[in-house]
Amino acid sequence: MLLDRGLPARLRENGWWSPALISGLAVVLSLLLWWLARQAMSRGPRWAVLPQTGPVLRRRAWERAMTAQVAAFDDVARTRVRLVGRPLRAVVTVVVEPGARPAEVTRSLAGVIADARASSGIRGLPADVRIQVAKRRERRAR
């Protein structure tokens, strides 16, 4: 036997045992509820199944590949691509340099999204594109 029979009786005699047990269980329960809420609020499954070919692709890897393609364009300061929802939708945020031409960046971005559609076999991959201009910080003279 792992525990002797007198241990629970001795623990009940101590005044700290019941509150410690209840608070420990409350902490475990609250952590479990927090974890379940995070799972429910996640932005969808981690995997994307490609319809034509059938392989499974990690969404993060796909997002990183598209982000790298967009970041390689001229006049792009930084970018972020997220794939969200069911059916998949691309949310692209691009920050361009102050002298950039947004029309050229948009055309190049359309090519990246078309490549993603063609390579994945998905008929429609709608995209929400947000283009922002990076702020130039002036140096202050002292």
Side-chain angles (χ1 to χ4, degrees), residues 48-81:
V49 178
L50 305 180
Q52 283 184 339
T53 56
V56 178
L57 180 68
R58 284 189 71 127
R59 283 189 180 201
R60 261 308 142 89
W62 199 4
E63 289 171 353
R64 287 181 186 151
M66 289 177 67
T67 300
Q69 283 181 323
V70 175
F73 297 150
D74 293 336
D75 297 328
V76 172
R78 62 183 181 273
T79 184
R80 182 176 182 202
V81 177

Side-chain angles (χ1 to χ4, degrees), residues 20-121:
L21 180 67
I22 291 171
S23 62
L25 290 175
V27 167
V28 169
L29 180 64
S30 63
L31 287 174
L32 177 67
L33 290 174
W34 174 78
W35 179 77
L36 285 173
R38 293 283 298 169
Q39 294 297 318
M41 293 186 326
S42 71
R43 56 186 180 134
R46 294 177 159 187
W47 306 94
V49 178
L50 305 180
Q52 283 184 339
T53 56
V56 178
L57 180 68
R58 284 189 71 127
R59 283 189 180 201
R60 261 308 142 89
W62 199 4
E63 289 171 353
R64 287 181 186 151
M66 289 177 67
T67 300
Q69 283 181 323
V70 175
F73 297 150
D74 293 336
D75 297 328
V76 172
R78 62 183 181 273
T79 184
R80 182 176 182 202
V81 177
R82 292 181 301 135
L83 298 171
V84 296
R86 280 191 194 167
L88 280 179
R89 181 175 49 93
V91 178
V92 183
T93 304
V94 179
V95 179
V96 296
E97 298 294 335
R101 295 184 180 189
E104 291 176 9
V105 173
T106 304
R107 267 188 246 111
S108 302
L109 188 58
V112 170
I113 294 170
D115 288 344
R117 283 183 189 132
S119 64
S120 66

Side-chain angles (χ1 to χ4, degrees), residues 4-14 17:
D4 64 355
R5 295 185 189 274
L7 181 65
R10 285 192 309 266
L11 287 176
R12 279 190 219 114
E13 290 173 3
N14 296 330
W17 171 250

